[in-house]
Amino acid sequence: QQQVKQSPQSLIVQKGGIPIINCAYENTAFDYFPWYQQFPGKGPALLIAIRPDVSEKKEGRFTISFNKSAKQFSLHIMDSQPGDSATYFCAASTETSGSRLTFGEGTQLTVNP
Amino acid sequence: DTGVSQDPRHKITKRGQNVTFRCDPISEHNRLYWYRQTLGQGPEFLTYFQNEAQLEKSRLLSDRFSAERPKGSFSTLEIQRTEQGDSAMYLCASNFHRAGYTFGSGTRLTVV
């Protein structure tokens, strides 16, 4: 059972655009929602994370929007740059799982110059 | 410490051979995780340790897989009698309590 569904699978934007990646979850016990960025040949790197007591969190050009009632959260990248081209993964975990992360399927983002 | 180190970066092995991977976490991190990632997919949880105790193993993990973390420091992941389906990137990560993970760059295993 896929507990975190991510869309779209791939996304192409122009430099300066605002790509939006969406995730939906099923397990209402999830209480930690991070986003990871992965470049080819590298491990995922934590970008930004949110807990369900807030609806939005910004760090630099990255913003997470969280909708607890809809069980959805999304990543917005402001003023996207070619260097942002990577694969992005959403994830979720619960404390009772020992912070074991359940990942989405990933979104391959391409930012054209 | 500059991050999580994994060794080797690449491993090619023949089907039926045993392989062992090593992970050195960030020294102050008490939790260590192993994940597996196949092409085009998100990482999939395998197992995790809190200090030296292995607290959870994925039900997807066959008994050919074993992991250890002696003295709560580095960890090893062994795969016995490798199969072609074991070909994947094996990722190690560490954190302290519920802080964000730091992943290593992974070990890419190819079983031929």
Side-chain angles (χ1 to χ4, degrees):
Chain A
Q1 182 184 12
Q2 180 62 43
Q3 293 194 56
V4 180
K5 291 200 160 204
Q6 184 172 345
S7 63
Q9 191 172 19
S10 63
L11 187 55
I12 301 174
V13 299
Q14 292 298 119
K15 177 182 173 183
I18 306 177
I20 301 172
I21 305 170
N22 300 297
C23 283
Y25 62 96
E26 298 166 9
N27 186 352
T28 55
F30 285 145
D31 59 1
Y32 175 70
F33 302 90
W35 284 90
Y36 284 83
Q37 178 188 57
Q38 187 175 29
F39 293 104
K42 300 289 188 182
L46 179 65
L47 268 180
I48 185 172
I50 197 168
R51 296 192 188 275
D53 51 347
V54 296
S55 60
E56 185 175 279
K57 183 174 181 180
K58 289 184 181 181
E59 284 187 5
R61 296 185 294 108
F62 301 96
T63 299
I64 299 180
S65 297
F66 185 81
N67 185 329
K68 187 174 181 178
S69 61
K71 294 187 287 185
Q72 295 176 347
F73 58 110
S74 59
L75 176 71
H76 301 231
I77 305 175
M78 306 302 176
D79 187 27
S80 58
Q81 302 295 313
D84 296 329
S85 298
T87 301
Y88 292 80
F89 293 96
C90 63
S93 73
T94 71
E95 172 56 23
T96 55
S97 70
S99 302
R100 163 169 49 87
L101 288 172
T102 299
F103 282 85
E105 302 96 326
T107 296
Q108 187 165 352
L109 172 66
T110 302
V111 181
N112 289 326
Chain B
D1 268 342
T2 56
V4 175
S5 299
Q6 291 190 245
D7 184 69
R9 290 296 311 276
H10 304 275
K11 178 72 176 178
I12 300 174
T13 191
K14 291 184 177 179
R15 189 174 51 186
Q17 297 294 303
N18 299 344
V19 294
T20 300
F21 311 140
R22 177 180 171 120
C23 172
D24 287 274
I26 294 173
S27 58
E28 59 266 28
H29 287 179
N30 63 339
R31 287 181 175 176
L32 184 148
Y33 307 81
W34 286 98
Y35 283 77
R36 176 172 62 191
Q37 185 177 28
T38 53
L39 202 60
Q41 299 295 315
E44 177 184 47
F45 172 78
L46 294 178
T47 188
Y48 95 95
F49 294 82
Q50 180 156 303
N51 300 313
E52 66 275 8
Q54 186 174 18
L55 296 187
E56 187 176 354
K57 284 177 66 172
S58 168
R59 288 172 298 200
L60 302 174
L61 206 61
S62 81
D63 56 9
R64 296 185 296 106
F65 288 71
S66 62
E68 294 183 340
R69 193 184 182 194
K71 303 178 183 176
S73 56
F74 71 93
S75 175
T76 58
L77 177 68
E78 181 182 18
I79 309 174
Q80 296 182 327
R81 305 180 303 282
T82 52
E83 302 173 356
Q84 286 191 318
D86 297 331
S87 295
M89 175 78 85
Y90 289 83
L91 293 164
C92 176
S94 68
N95 72 344
F96 181 75
H97 194 46
R98 293 211 75 190
Y101 285 20
T102 300
F103 277 92
S105 291
T107 294
R108 179 163 295 285
L109 173 67
T110 302
V111 181
V112 297

